[in-house]
């Protein structure tokens, strides 16, 4: 047993020399001197030692315990001195720098578009992303069974509601409170049941606009959108108008812009046409004006809608719309 006690002493002193904190010192005391510590457990075997050896073994054990307690006190003083001489932390020092995030490329581009319109006197309106079919379709001259509903296939939710397919319902809601003259834009997120690929996403951003006043003409529409595209892409770009059908406008038209890549000469980006389709627009349909409780005999107006994702991609030369929603910092930190 004497040899076992000697081994515990050697092991304990070695362990004590490696203690580097008060918590470790406390654990050392539990491991070796505690009720279930190694020294205490060994001393319980003293009853198995022959009677004539017990006094000597007991005295030897007490000497080891005293030596370990003395060594513990010395270790505690050592830790205290280390603490006193440790470098002082100056709480006024600046902390470690953490990287700061930035706006998403779509958010940055949308803010720029909004600034352009507000500088032209447009108000910004907002509305819910979950809409009624009445606001999303019916009041925009797209009744049930109208073939145009297929082009705006969307996601339906409980209660007969749906995720809006465009921000035009925001205009309907705004006109329930506003009276002409009005000049407003409705930027926001929209949803369509699309098969995603490099140029299509089920979730994307639009900025739609509405102008209603007396004597509004197609010339006002073309002039406004020509100025917007020049503000976004530069004064050198040219625009043209092509007829197109949209249920909520009459006449309807698409606004094209000269290709930024080939300057109208023809390339793979514009499919050798020299022109890029930029946005849809038209004069507000008389039935839509009536649905807004506006007399089409007194007022006229124009409306337009532009895909923010697509315009942002064109600005920065991005060829895949899915990159914007991937969350990949390698892409997002470039813009």
């Amino acid at each position: 047993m004497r040899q076992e006690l000697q081994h515990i002493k050697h092991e304990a002193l070695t362990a004590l020399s490696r203690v580097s904190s008060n918590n470790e010192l406390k654990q050392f005391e539990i491991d070796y001197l505690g009720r279930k510590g190694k020294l205490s457990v060994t001393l319980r075997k003293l009853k198995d030692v022959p009677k004539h050896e017990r006094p000597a073994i007991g005295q030897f054990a007490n000497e080891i315990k005293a030596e370990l307690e003395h060594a513990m006190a010395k270790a505690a003083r050592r830790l205290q001195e280390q603490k006193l001489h440790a470098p002082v932390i100056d709480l006024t020092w600046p902390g470690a720098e953490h990287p700061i995030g930035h706006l998403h490329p779509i958010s940055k581009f949308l803010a720029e578009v909004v600034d352009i319109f507000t500088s032209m006197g447009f108000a910004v309106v907002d509305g819910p992303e979950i809409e009624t079919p009445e606001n999303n379709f019916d009041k925009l001259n797209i009744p049930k069974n109208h073939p145009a509903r297929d082009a705006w296939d969307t996601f339906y939710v409980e209660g007969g509601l749906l995720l809006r397919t465009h921000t035009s319902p925001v205009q309907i809601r705004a006109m329930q409170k506003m009276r002409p003259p009005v000049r407003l834009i409705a930027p926001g997120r929209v949803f369509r049941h699309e098969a995603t690929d490099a140029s299509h996403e089920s979730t994307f951003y639009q900025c739609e606009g509405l102008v209603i006043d007396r004597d509004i003409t197609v010339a006002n529409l073309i002039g406004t959108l020509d100025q917007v595209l020049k503000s976004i892409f530069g004064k050198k770009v040219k625009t043209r108008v092509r007829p197109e059908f949209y249920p909520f406008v009459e006449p309807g038209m698409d606004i094209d812009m000269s290709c930024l890549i080939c300057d109208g000469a023809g390339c793979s980006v514009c499919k050798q046409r020299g022109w890029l389709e930029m946005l849809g627009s038209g004069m507000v349909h008389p039935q839509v004006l009536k649905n807004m409780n506006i007399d089409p005999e007194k007022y006229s107006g124009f409306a337009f809608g532009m895909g923010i994702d697509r315009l942002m991609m064109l600005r920065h030369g991005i060829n895949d719309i899915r990159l914007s929603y991937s969350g990949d910092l390698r892409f997002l930190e470039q813009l």
Side-chain angles (χ1 to χ4, degrees):
M1 190 172 183
R2 181 181 290 272
Q3 188 175 0
E4 186 177 352
L5 289 170
Q6 188 68 36
H7 175 74
I8 291 174
K9 171 185 172 183
H10 176 74
E11 181 185 291
L13 291 175
T14 302
L16 193 57
S17 66
R18 297 171 181 167
V19 166
S20 60
S21 69
N22 288 328
N23 287 336
E24 291 180 5
L25 186 62
K26 184 65 176 177
Q27 188 61 47
F28 170 85
E29 183 178 11
I30 294 172
D31 292 342
Y32 288 94
L33 301 178
R35 187 169 60 85
K36 295 182 180 181
K38 292 184 179 182
L39 184 61
S40 301
V41 171
T42 301
L43 287 177
R44 291 195 189 102
K45 301 177 185 178
L46 194 61
K47 65 180 184 299
D48 300 326
V49 175
K51 287 186 178 181
H52 66 278
E53 293 183 10
R54 288 178 191 175
I57 296 295
Q59 182 179 356
F60 183 61
N62 288 332
E63 290 174 357
I64 291 176
K65 183 178 180 181
E67 186 175 351
L68 293 181
E69 289 175 344
H70 177 74
M72 278 185 58
K74 188 176 179 180
R77 289 194 297 272
R78 170 173 59 82
L79 293 175
Q80 183 64 24
E81 289 177 1
Q82 289 177 354
K83 185 177 181 180
L84 292 174
H85 292 89
V88 177
I89 298 176
D90 187 348
L91 298 180
T92 64
W93 287 357
E97 272 193 43
H98 294 282
I100 298 175
H102 58 77
L103 291 175
H104 191 282
I106 290 177
S107 299
K108 291 169 65 176
F109 185 81
L110 180 57
E112 183 178 338
V113 171
V114 169
D115 285 344
I116 291 170
F117 279 110
T118 54
S119 71
M120 299 171 69
F122 282 77
V124 181
V125 294
D126 192 16
E129 293 180 346
I130 298 179
E131 263 294 357
T132 64
E134 182 182 22
N135 285 339
N136 197 80
F137 292 124
D138 300 329
K139 288 188 176 181
L140 292 167
N141 207 30
I142 314 175
K144 287 184 178 180
N145 302 319
H146 193 291
R149 284 212 186 192
D150 291 339
W152 281 279
D153 194 11
T154 188
F155 301 95
Y156 286 83
V157 296
E158 292 183 0
L161 302 176
L162 52 82
L163 301 184
R164 65 185 184 188
T165 59
H166 43 189
T167 58
S168 297
V170 179
Q171 301 171 9
I172 296 294
R173 289 177 175 273
M175 294 310 298
Q176 293 173 355
K177 302 177 182 178
M178 303 170 68
R179 294 292 88 192
V182 296
R183 190 182 304 178
L184 58 87
I185 57 169
R189 186 170 56 170
V190 299
F191 310 85
R192 293 185 190 173
H193 189 204
E194 295 274 8
T196 59
D197 55 32
S199 56
H200 296 86
E201 254 292 358
S202 59
T203 303
F204 53 96
Y205 283 79
Q206 280 190 339
C207 182
E208 298 194 15
L210 177 68
V211 173
I212 300 177
D213 202 348
R214 295 181 184 272
D215 304 320
I216 296 295
T217 67
V218 173
N220 301 123
L221 182 159
I222 296 174
T224 299
L225 298 181
D226 178 78
Q227 179 60 41
V228 169
L229 291 176
K230 282 180 166 60
S231 298
I232 295 174
F233 295 104
K235 297 293 184 181
K236 292 183 179 181
V237 298
K238 300 175 183 178
T239 59
R240 73 175 185 182
V241 177
R242 288 184 296 106
E244 183 57 80
F245 171 75
Y246 296 103
F248 31 80
V249 291
E250 180 61 42
M253 59 198 75
D254 280 338
I255 307 296
D256 294 344
M257 184 181 74
S258 55
C259 180
L260 299 175
I261 307 300
C262 64
D263 199 24
C267 66
S268 60
V269 175
C270 63
K271 300 178 181 178
Q272 307 302 325
R273 292 179 297 193
W275 296 91
L276 297 169
E277 179 185 334
M278 301 305 293
L279 53 94
S281 62
M283 302 301 293
V284 181
H285 196 288
Q287 183 58 49
V288 176
L289 289 174
K290 290 179 182 179
N291 294 340
M292 295 177 177
N293 296 319
I294 295 172
D295 187 352
E297 298 296 326
K298 295 181 180 180
Y299 295 98
S300 58
F302 66 82
F304 57 88
M306 56 178 66
I308 295 301
D309 300 59
R310 189 164 177 270
L311 295 181
M312 184 276 292
M313 291 167 62
L314 186 61
R315 160 77 76 80
H316 296 296
I318 300 168
N319 60 7
D320 194 328
I321 191 173
R322 294 169 295 188
L323 290 172
S324 295
Y325 301 97
S326 67
D328 191 336
L329 291 178
R330 293 174 299 177
F331 167 75
L332 298 176
E333 289 179 346
Q334 294 181 72
L335 303 178

